[in-house]
């Protein structure tokens, strides 16, 4: 079963589609972790900032990928930041 159909079965009417222009911050490191995201199109960059201020790219995600799943595991805050690399 495709990932989008699985997501629809799991959360049903609680899901909503949101368009993100390039460079839009989806969430910041330290934000409340209260949602999971699925990429229908485009790319999203996941980054972390160290205590010394250095930024590291954890990965670039694309169509069919999920992110923010820490919210499902009881994670209270975001451990990374997510930013649209392209229109999503």
């Amino acid at each position: 079963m495709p990932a989008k159909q699985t997501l629809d079965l799991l959360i049903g009417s609680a899901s909503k589609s949101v368009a993100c222009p390039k460079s839009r911050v989806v969430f910041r490191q330290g934000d409340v972790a209260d949602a999971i995201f699925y990429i229908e199109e485009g790319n999203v960059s996941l980054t972390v900032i160290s205590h010394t201020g250095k930024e590291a790219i954890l990965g670039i995600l694309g169509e069919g990928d999920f992110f923010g799943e820490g919210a499902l595991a009881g994670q209270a805050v975001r451990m990374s930041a997510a930013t649209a690399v392209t229109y999503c």
Side-chain angles (χ1 to χ4, degrees), residues 10-63:
L10 289 172
I11 62 175
S13 64
S15 68
K16 66 179 180 178
S17 291
V18 177
C20 287
K22 181 179 178 179
S23 301
R24 160 99 34 103
V25 174
V26 179
F27 56 76
R28 288 177 168 57
Q29 187 172 333
D31 283 355
V32 173
D34 59 359
I36 184 171
F37 299 87
Y38 173 77
I39 304 170
E40 292 185 74
E41 66 176 293
N43 297 94
V44 172
S45 171
L46 297 179
T47 59
V48 293
I49 299 176
S50 72
H51 295 292
T52 61
K54 290 191 175 189
E55 183 178 48
I57 298 173
L58 299 176
I60 306 290
L61 306 177
E63 183 178 327

